Every structure is written in C-alpha cells, then in structure tokens.
Amino acid sequence: SQQGEEDPQALSIQEGENATMNCSYKTSINNLQWYRQNSGRGLVHLILIRSNEREKHSGRLRVTLDTSKKSSSLLITASRAADTASYFCATVYGGATNKLIFGTGTLLAVQP
Amino acid sequence: GAVVSQHPSWVICKSGTSVKIECRSLDFQATTMFWYRQFPKQSLMLMATSNEGSKATYEQGVEKDKFLINHASLTLSTLTVTSAHPEDSSFYICSAEGQASGAYNEQFFGPGTRLTVL
C-alpha cells in the first residue's frame, strides 16, 4: 500500500498551545497537501507544498517538507477549540492523473 | 467558487437494494472526478477515478460491477452501489478536479454521503 502514515494518531492539547503532526510517505511525490475534516463532514484543503519547497506558511499553519526523509510536518500555532478535527496529509504521485493518497490521519482535540 | 455538492447527504437502505449517489461541480467543469470511501475512524481510500465520457478507472480491490460509476457530463458523476450489504455502510466522498495555479489541478471535495445499509 502506498498509504502514508501520520503520528500521533491522536493529540490532545490546551487552547493556546501549539500542535504538531507528522506525516511520512513512501515514494517520490509531486506535492503534499494537508486537509482538515470535522467529524462526519467533508474535507477542507489547508495547504499544498510542492516537492521543491521546504517550508510554507498560511496564517497559523506552518508546513515543512523533507523529501530526503519522505516526511512532512504540520504545525498549528496558538490553537483554538475550533481547530478540533482530524488532519490528513495527502500525497500526489503524478502520472496521468493527480491521484491523492491519504495518510492515516491525526485526531486533534483542543481543550478550551 | 469551486463548490462540489453531493446528494443525498445521507441514505438508509435495505440490504440488496441499489443506491445512487450524485457528485456535482456547481461552478466549474471537471473532466476528472474521484470517489473515496471512509470507514469510521479511518482515512479516505480512493475507490476510482471518473473521467467524463470514458470508463472509470478502479483501484485494486474495488469491484467495478458493484460500484458503478457514470461521468456523463463535465459537472456530474454518479456512484451506484449495487445490491448493497451492511459491509458497504460507509462515508462516500467525491472530489472534482479543477484548475489551479501552476501545473497542479486542485481537487475540491464534496461534503460526503453517509450510507447505512440495514
């Protein structure tokens, strides 16, 4: 299976703290994306980082990519209760179609 | 912009019946749509890639005769779960590929359809 793995599987923090989630993948990629999913809902695209980029910021989000280690991390700074959700990384391997292969996900709970 | 809808949002059916789920791109045309399945507390697993005007491409282990996909127009793809059984109960999510900056076409996700088979 090409599915990536994320750790931790679950993370519980207090409001205001930072949350870091890690993603590892298996083969060379074109880009890596992070998504958020609230319970029982669809996915919200957070950020995309290309294979030739090492770091990207968007608001309170910071994503890093290390292609030599085949890993990425998502940092959410100054977390809020509304950040409570599942977070998934997804990789695009390219080829004829841009198929997304999702990681196993991290369930983040931010306690008010 | 780039809104994708799914209908119905949830459905309950009896074992043995067929269920059709629609995925529509509301404000853009999508040559390619994708269908995913998500079991409780698990990740999304790609089932198939749907291309307008041609046959869908199924991922390994997905039965094409059980999960019928039709992409008849640039804004509509349908997934029909034939002869549904309780083990088909899941959250089905579609995405539509649209234009974005650079070479990569971003996928826009629908809100999902919760299928429960009794």
Side-chain angles (χ1 to χ4, degrees):
Chain A
S1 168
Q2 291 180 321
Q3 185 178 36
E5 292 185 5
E6 290 179 60
D7 76 88
Q9 289 187 342
L11 178 62
S12 181
I13 59 175
Q14 296 293 321
E15 235 178 355
E17 294 181 338
N18 295 342
T20 300
M21 289 158 268
N22 303 295
C23 166
S24 62
Y25 56 92
K26 298 184 179 178
T27 65
S28 298
I29 59 172
N30 286 352
N31 65 66
L32 184 145
Q33 302 171 47
W34 285 89
Y35 288 84
R36 185 184 75 205
Q37 183 181 36
N38 289 81
S39 181
R41 310 290 290 273
L43 273 78
V44 174
H45 183 263
L46 295 177
I47 197 165
L48 179 153
I49 186 166
R50 301 183 195 284
S51 59
N52 61 353
E53 296 175 312
R54 292 297 168 259
E55 188 171 313
K56 205 161 184 179
H57 297 253
S58 177
R60 294 184 295 113
L61 306 179
R62 172 177 170 255
V63 169
T64 62
L65 179 65
D66 187 334
T67 53
S68 66
K69 295 181 180 178
K70 293 186 170 59
S71 67
S72 174
S73 68
L74 170 68
L75 168 67
I76 303 175
T77 60
S79 64
R80 305 167 183 167
D83 294 330
T84 295
S86 291
Y87 291 82
F88 296 94
C89 66
T91 47
V92 176
Y93 294 92
T97 59
N98 290 314
K99 294 200 301 185
L100 283 173
I101 306 298
F102 283 85
T104 50
T106 294
L107 177 58
L108 173 66
V110 181
Q111 309 297 334
Chain B
V3 177
V4 176
S5 70
Q6 280 185 241
H7 178 79
S9 55
W10 59 270
V11 57
I12 301 172
C13 69
K14 292 182 179 179
S15 186
T17 60
S18 295
V19 175
K20 180 186 285 188
I21 302 170
E22 294 185 347
C23 176
R24 293 180 186 273
S25 55
L26 298 184
D27 48 4
F28 67 101
Q29 294 184 329
T31 305
T32 304
M33 292 185 174
F34 300 87
W35 286 96
Y36 299 83
R37 180 168 53 183
Q38 184 179 31
F39 291 109
K41 299 189 188 304
Q42 294 188 25
S43 186
L44 281 75
M45 297 301 292
L46 179 65
M47 298 175 67
T49 302
S50 168
N51 294 297
E52 186 268 336
S54 64
K55 290 183 178 180
T57 303
Y58 291 81
E59 294 300 301
Q60 194 170 14
V62 178
E63 301 173 59
K64 62 180 181 181
D65 294 331
K66 181 169 184 61
F67 298 99
L68 301 179
I69 292 173
N70 186 303
H71 194 155
S73 77
L74 288 172
T75 60
L76 173 64
S77 175
T78 60
L79 168 68
T80 300
V81 183
T82 62
S83 187
H85 291 283
E87 57 265 30
D88 298 322
S89 297
S90 188
F91 194 52
Y92 292 86
I93 304 176
C94 73
S95 69
E97 193 173 74
Q99 291 292 323
S101 60
Y104 173 69
N105 292 331
E106 185 175 347
Q107 288 187 34
F108 301 95
F109 284 81
T113 296
R114 172 82 51 198
L115 170 64
T116 301
V117 184
L118 302 177

